[in-house]
Amino acid sequence: MREKVTICEVGPRDGLQMAKSRMETAAKIRWIKAIAAAGVPEIEVGSFVPPRVIPAMADTEEIVRQSVQIPGLFVVALVPNLRGAQAAYAAGAHRITIPVSVSEGHSRSNLNRTPMEQVGEVRGIVPWVREQPRRMEIEAACSTAFGCSIDGVVPTEKVVEVATGLAETGVDSVSLCDTVGYGNPSQIKEVVRAVRAAIGDKVQRLHLHDTMGLGLANALAGLEEGIRKFDSSLAGLGGCPYAPGASGNIVTEDLVFMLESMGFDTGIDLQKLLAARRVLQESIPEEPVHGQVPKAGIPKTYRKAA
Ligand code: MG
């Protein structure tokens, strides 16, 4: 039995929020279906934010409603507040991601709140979700946990403080996000260890960006620390509208190649993943795409371990 690693594809959310061209609702659904058909178990399909703030996410309710009809797919939506959580629940989302910036600058720019005010928002969301008849998972995402393009260095103690506050709200899990992609492998290890020492196994996922080209090295550092859940984005789309200088997420195609080659089981068919990439390219052909595996082609040495 190979050890499992769970990838959550965030391209339809993190990727499209920054894309220069809008993807039509029908095209988004085609793309999400193609990603799911490749065996990707979880997809963050959109965010419940005001359309005037991020117009590309205006159809998130419809996208969630249609995505939950895809057999076997776990559907995730980003929500910044209680109102968003309520909308995500009504649309049928299986998990919500609530972003909480660790750095003051990003927090103010993104949510116009201090980090601890946003922890307070999470504290209000959890009991509402728990009262509902259907179970919906709640993950709090510590944004800018490894550096901030506005504030610069983000001290590890600050990450621990925010993560601890979040764990105490009763969320199911906490993720650590290198929103701007300034982190390095040693730092990933240090922060994962420090947060785990404070909140135990509630810290589960890494969300990494490849701004400095260290995305996969950082993922490997996380793996070595026992992290088995990762966010990534097809073709490396992504960025953050409130974090100047951030570039794309780690590339799903390359991450799958690395993990499967190392003997981990992602459940993802790399060939079909490349087909999903073509669906994306057909819908928004102007959008720059990234990734070494798609460029080089799947090598003959690649073979999923049995
Ligand atoms: Mg991101």
Side-chain angles (χ1 to χ4, degrees):
M1 276 288 278
R2 296 186 296 146
E3 203 182 338
K4 272 201 175 315
V5 172
T6 305
I7 291 179
C8 179
E9 167 64 42
V10 298
R13 196 278 301 168
D14 202 326
L16 294 185
Q17 76 182 5
M18 286 298 280
K20 281 147 215 80
S21 31
R22 276 283 277 285
M23 198 190 274
E24 297 300 322
T25 305
K28 283 190 191 180
I29 293 296
R30 261 203 311 283
W31 186 34
I32 289 165
K33 282 184 174 164
I35 298 167
V40 175
E42 303 184 348
I43 305 179
E44 192 166 86
V45 298
S47 58
F48 286 92
V49 291
R52 70 184 149 75
V53 181
I54 305 181
M57 295 291 117
D59 58 358
T60 294
E61 186 190 338
E62 182 58 27
I63 296 289
V64 171
R65 282 189 193 283
Q66 293 198 39
S67 298
V68 294
Q69 305 299 323
I70 301 171
L73 179 65
F74 196 81
V75 177
V76 184
L78 186 141
V79 308
N81 50 33
L82 178 60
R83 208 168 149 176
Q86 291 167 333
Y89 180 84
H94 301 125
R95 182 172 71 231
I96 50 172
T97 307
I98 315 169
V100 180
S101 305
V102 176
S103 66
E104 295 277 338
H106 186 261
S107 189
R108 289 217 174 275
S109 151
N110 191 11
L111 298 161
N112 202 21
R113 294 192 180 119
T114 67
M116 282 308 165
E117 281 168 358
Q118 180 66 356
V119 172
E121 183 72 29
V122 176
R123 199 175 295 119
I125 294 173
V126 175
W128 184 86
V129 172
R130 300 303 188 215
E131 277 166 13
Q132 305 311 308
R134 181 175 69 80
R135 171 152 169 82
M136 181 169 73
E137 282 183 25
I138 311 168
E139 182 161 278
C142 295
S143 310
T144 58
F146 302 93
C148 174
S149 51
I150 301 166
D151 291 1
V153 172
V154 176
T156 302
E157 310 82 72
K158 194 75 185 130
V159 187
V160 170
E161 184 191 330
V162 170
T164 303
L166 288 170
E168 286 168 359
T169 65
V171 294
D172 296 297
S173 54
V174 172
S175 67
L176 298 174
C177 308
D178 191 8
T179 310
V180 295
Y182 291 177
N184 67 73
S186 305
Q187 186 189 11
I188 297 281
K189 290 186 172 221
E190 181 194 313
V191 175
V192 168
R193 279 180 202 171
V195 173
R196 189 176 281 138
I199 68 168
D201 287 339
K202 269 211 173 178
V203 58
Q204 296 184 354
R205 181 190 314 279
L206 284 174
H207 173 106
L208 302 167
H209 283 249
D210 200 30
T211 315
M212 297 297 158
L214 293 184
L216 283 188
N218 289 341
L220 184 59
L223 268 178
E224 288 175 358
E225 286 303 314
I227 296 292
R228 293 294 179 268
K229 294 180 181 178
F230 294 92
D231 286 352
S232 63
S233 172
L234 208 81
L237 300 187
C240 176
Y242 303 100
S247 78
N249 289 273
I250 52 172
V251 177
T252 305
E253 298 92 314
D254 294 355
L255 179 64
V256 169
F257 178 78
M258 181 178 87
L259 292 169
E260 292 283 342
S261 298
M262 291 173 72
F264 289 102
D265 179 11
T266 63
I268 298 171
D269 182 316
L270 195 47
Q271 202 76 55
K272 289 184 181 166
L273 200 58
L274 296 182
R277 177 186 174 99
R278 287 193 289 276
V279 174
L280 164 74
Q281 288 179 288
E282 282 158 16
S283 314
I284 43 171
E286 326 71 34
E287 197 63 24
V289 287
H290 309 280
Q292 294 304 121
V293 173
K295 208 188 298 172
I298 303 171
K300 285 210 169 86
T301 52
Y302 182 76
R303 173 172 69 81
K304 280 170 59 159

